[in-house]
Amino acid sequence: SVGIYGVMAYSVTQRTKEIGLRMALGAEHADVLRMVLRQGLKLTTLGVAIGLLAAFGATRLIANLLFVSPTDARTFAAISVLLAAVAMAASFLPARRASRVDPLVALRHDS
């Protein structure tokens, strides 16, 4: 979750001018919050999908070392939901910070 938070915070920082411009042109705080959370959801979905494929392949290689079935659907689902929840929580803090950006400060921000 720390890594996800770091990536999201960096992404929001890189987009400070864009967010400030959106706010100056009339975007509401909720619009900016939704935009950043949507970006986090896209990254989370992609990461979970790639992770599931990699985990499914890896469990085939180490099936004899596992205490559960290599294709235990409950385990895969539980871990996927847990990681998605952590990722969305880690995305919320930078999204909330971005929604509170003062447009004048953001437009003066040097990248």
Side-chain angles (χ1 to χ4, degrees):
S1 64
V2 173
I4 294 168
Y5 172 79
V7 169
M8 287 304 297
Y10 180 74
S11 173
V12 169
T13 301
Q14 293 298 311
R15 297 174 66 186
T16 301
K17 282 190 176 184
E18 173 197 348
I19 291 168
L21 185 60
R22 287 176 187 267
M23 298 285 287
L25 292 174
E28 298 292 326
H29 295 288
D31 296 332
V32 173
L33 184 69
R34 239 181 276 119
M35 177 186 69
V36 176
L37 284 175
R38 190 177 309 121
Q39 177 189 10
L41 181 61
K42 286 179 187 177
L43 292 174
T44 299
T45 303
L46 181 65
V48 167
I50 291 170
L52 280 173
L53 291 173
F56 189 73
T59 56
R60 296 290 184 185
L61 296 174
I62 59 169
N64 59 345
L65 300 174
L66 297 175
F67 297 109
V68 295
S69 167
T71 57
D72 184 23
R74 287 184 295 172
T75 302
F76 278 99
I79 296 302
S80 297
V81 168
L82 176 69
L83 289 175
V86 166
M88 289 314 297
S91 297
F92 180 73
L93 292 174
R96 190 178 65 178
R97 189 176 328 119
S99 71
R100 298 177 197 271
V101 167
D102 180 24
L104 293 176
V105 172
L107 291 173
R108 290 185 196 140
H109 182 299
D110 291 328
S111 298

